[in-house]
């Protein structure tokens, strides 16, 4: 007679070996959010030559600048939660962030020197110019992600770093560290968020509450135009450099974070969660971000914003529509195919072949190990239950024999 434990193990259907995890489909909500945020970024840059003549446009500009980059940074932090020092992830960081930074910092400097006509424009990788500061900041933030994941209270620590930066004019312009440090809390906030937080802000009560919130923000922005320096929204200077007492730096860091977080939540509450005509454009936001700067700088150089009629309401609306159309085109598939060599270079020649394979094996072996451990644990429980059942049956048979 066969042993029940042995036969149980022999009759179990073998499971296929665990393969590499399949790519998860892109979340339409986040692609929509990234596209809409980058459209607002482009509109803000197109408004800059016009806003000096319109208090209303200046107020709208301030409202948009209060949340458009914070929203983009929070989402970037959210998708950096799993970043570690695994070789394949470091490779993606280099090819997807560091290399585009080097290429576009060089391209913008050459563009400024030879097209715009600024012969004094130097090529310096330590002094990000115009839009490239975000790539530099993202590289630093993502490299420090394991540290923020290890800290018990990451957000208060990030606030401390940002507040210290806001009172430290000696930091200088190298790597645009003021922006890197003052925007840091938004990235760390993204690291701390979970999917349920985004589901919470997409509820109808939040969407309805966002209407008066933005109306109040617009009214305050209009009031603040002659009373507050717009540079506070850029987070690139210490308080002393803005002519304010040192204590204004930490106060403004906290105040701006509170306002930006509330407006970001309101913005995200209005982002559609379903697939729309612009959902696929969310995968190309880096293209739109880095390329639209050339259009803006060339338009300023050529005097396209000079006509007086553009500085009226109809002209401002036209510029806004053109800005949205421009960045939409730059996020599209044809442009992405042309510039993929700069934005998403493969660079297999620069890395050891086993780097990517090791990362894939690491993820695969981890999944296989988890599956094996789970299977062994289940087999062990089944075996133990079977043994306990047999012992109980033997004990019952023994008692019946004794009573007989």
């Amino acid at each position: 007679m066969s042993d029940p434990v042995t036969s149980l193990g022999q009759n179990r259907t073998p499971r296929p070996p665990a393969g590499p995890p399949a790519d998860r489909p892109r979340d339409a909500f986040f692609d929509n959010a990234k596209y809409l945020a980058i459209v607002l970024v482009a509109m803000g840059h197109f408004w800059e030559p016009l806003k000096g003549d319109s208090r209303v446009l200046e107020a709208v500009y301030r409202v948009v600048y209060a949340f458009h980059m914070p929203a983009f940074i929070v989402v970037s932090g959210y998708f950096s939660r799993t970043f570690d020092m695994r070789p394949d992830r470091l490779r993606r960081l280099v090819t997807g962030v560091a290399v585009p930074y080097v290429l576009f910092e060089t391209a913008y400097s050459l563009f400024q020197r030879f097209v715009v006509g600024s012969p004094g424009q130097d090529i310096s990788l330590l002094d990000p110019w115009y839009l490239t500061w975000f790539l530099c900041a993202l590289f630093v933030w993502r490299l420090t992600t394991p540290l923020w994941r290890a800290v018990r209270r990451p957000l208060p620590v990030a606030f401390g770093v940002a507040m210290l930066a806001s009172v430290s004019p000696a930091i200088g312009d190298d790597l645009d560290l003021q922006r890197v440090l003052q925007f840091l809390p938004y990235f760390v906030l993204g690291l701390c968020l979970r999917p349920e937080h985004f589901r919470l802000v997409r509820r109808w009560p939040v969407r309805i509450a966002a209407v008066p919130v933005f109306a109040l923000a617009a009214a305050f922005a209009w009031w603040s135009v002659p009373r507050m320096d717009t540079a506070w929204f850029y987070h690139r200077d210490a308080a002393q450099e803005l002519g304010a007492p040192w204590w204004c730096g930490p106060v403004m860091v906290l105040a701006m974070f509170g306002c930006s977080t509330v407006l970001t939540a309101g913005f995200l509450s209005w982002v559609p969660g379903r697939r729309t005509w612009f959902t696929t454009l969310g995968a190309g936001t880096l293209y739109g971000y880095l390329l639209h700067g050339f259009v803006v700088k060339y338009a300023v150089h050529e005097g396209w914003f000079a006509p007086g009629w553009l500085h009226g309401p109809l002209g401002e609306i036209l510029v806004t529509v053109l800005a949205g159309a421009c960045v939409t085109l730059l996020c599209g598939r044809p442009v992405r195919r042309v510039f993929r060599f700069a934005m998403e270079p493969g660079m297999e020649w620069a890395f050891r072949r086993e780097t990517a394979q090791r990362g894939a094996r690491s993820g695969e072996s981890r999944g296989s190990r988890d599956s094996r451990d789970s299977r062994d644990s289940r087999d062990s429980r089944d075996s133990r239950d079977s043994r306990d059942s047999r012992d109980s049956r033997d004990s019952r048979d023994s008692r019946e024999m004794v009573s007989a």
Side-chain angles (χ1 to χ4, degrees):
M1 185 174 183
S2 62
D3 187 1
V5 176
T6 305
S7 59
L8 182 65
Q10 291 174 344
N11 294 334
R12 182 172 296 279
T13 303
R15 291 176 174 80
D23 292 337
R24 291 180 297 179
R26 296 181 65 92
D27 192 319
F29 169 75
F30 289 108
D31 277 338
N32 293 338
K34 289 192 295 181
Y35 167 76
L36 294 175
I38 211 64
V39 167
L40 292 175
V41 170
M43 288 178 177
H45 290 150
F46 276 83
W47 289 338
E48 286 177 358
L50 307 177
K51 65 186 182 68
D53 300 324
S54 172
R55 184 171 179 176
V56 172
L57 185 60
E58 174 71 30
V60 174
Y61 177 87
R62 292 186 178 203
V63 172
V64 169
Y65 261 72
F67 74 90
H68 74 327
M69 284 310 297
F72 209 77
I73 294 169
V74 166
V75 172
S76 298
Y78 177 75
F79 281 104
S80 300
R81 292 172 302 154
T82 58
F83 180 84
D84 53 25
M85 295 299 177
R86 215 171 69 186
D88 60 319
R89 287 177 176 161
L90 288 174
R91 172 180 175 174
R92 286 197 296 270
L93 179 63
V94 170
T95 58
V97 179
V99 172
Y101 169 71
V102 172
L103 292 178
F104 277 87
E105 177 64 22
T106 303
Y108 269 115
S109 299
L110 294 176
F111 179 84
Q112 187 72 3
R113 176 184 293 184
F114 296 109
V115 178
V116 176
S118 299
Q121 180 68 42
D122 295 327
I123 299 175
S124 174
L125 299 181
L126 297 179
D127 188 12
W129 190 77
Y130 198 31
L131 305 178
T132 56
W133 72 268
F134 178 72
L135 292 178
C136 180
L138 184 60
F139 185 83
V140 175
W141 294 332
R142 196 161 284 175
L143 268 185
T144 60
T145 294
L147 172 63
W148 299 112
R149 301 294 295 169
V151 174
R152 180 169 295 180
R153 297 288 184 268
L155 198 53
V157 175
F159 273 126
V161 172
M163 288 189 288
L164 286 174
S166 70
V167 298
S168 305
I171 287 179
D173 297 328
D174 289 348
L175 298 179
D176 226 341
L177 279 179
Q178 280 290 356
R179 274 176 164 164
V180 173
L181 300 179
Q182 290 193 38
F183 274 116
L184 176 63
Y186 301 98
F187 183 82
V188 175
L189 173 63
L191 292 176
C192 298
L193 293 179
R194 297 290 180 269
E196 54 267 26
H197 296 130
F198 290 96
R199 288 194 294 269
L200 180 64
V201 301
R202 294 166 60 190
R203 297 171 60 185
W204 272 107
V206 180
R207 296 177 181 178
I208 296 172
V211 176
V213 166
F214 271 94
L216 183 62
F220 178 81
W222 186 87
W223 173 86
S224 71
V225 169
R227 298 173 176 87
M228 178 181 171
D229 193 337
T230 311
W232 285 108
F233 294 90
Y234 302 148
H235 299 277
R236 65 186 179 196
D237 300 296
Q240 297 91 322
E241 295 174 293
L242 298 177
W246 69 269
W247 55 266
C248 286
V251 171
M252 288 300 291
V253 166
L254 295 176
M256 294 293 291
F257 182 85
C259 294
S260 298
T261 302
V262 172
L263 292 176
T264 296
F267 164 73
L268 292 175
S269 72
W270 291 340
V271 172
R274 65 186 185 281
R275 292 190 63 84
T276 65
W277 64 269
F278 55 80
T279 299
T280 57
L281 300 175
T285 50
L286 184 61
Y287 293 78
Y289 175 77
L290 290 175
L291 293 173
H292 85 272
F294 292 103
V295 180
V296 174
K297 290 299 181 182
Y298 186 77
V300 171
H301 172 65
E302 292 295 320
W304 292 354
F305 296 101
W309 65 273
L310 282 178
H311 294 252
L314 292 179
E316 293 163 357
I317 293 174
L318 176 61
V319 169
T320 302
V321 172
L322 291 177
C326 173
V327 75
T328 299
L329 178 65
L330 295 176
C331 291
R333 291 183 183 275
V335 174
R336 283 153 54 186
R337 280 196 295 267
V338 172
F339 289 96
R340 182 167 286 120
F341 75 95
M343 307 286 194
E344 304 173 73
M347 295 186 63
E348 287 81 4
W349 55 268
F351 297 92
R352 295 178 179 177
R353 180 172 300 177
E354 61 269 18
T355 298
Q357 295 175 348
R358 190 185 304 123
R361 283 198 304 270
S362 175
E364 181 178 347
S365 63
R366 187 182 300 112
S368 178
R369 185 168 60 250
D370 293 344
S371 175
R372 187 172 60 253
D373 291 345
S374 175
R375 188 166 60 250
D376 292 345
S377 175
R378 188 163 54 249
D379 290 346
S380 177
R381 286 197 305 270
D382 292 344
S383 299
R384 186 168 59 251
D385 292 344
S386 176
R387 187 165 59 251
D388 291 343
S389 176
R390 189 175 66 255
D391 291 344
S392 175
R393 188 168 59 252
D394 292 345
S395 176
R396 187 170 60 253
D397 292 343
S398 177
R399 285 197 304 271
E400 292 174 355
M401 291 175 63
V402 171
S403 61

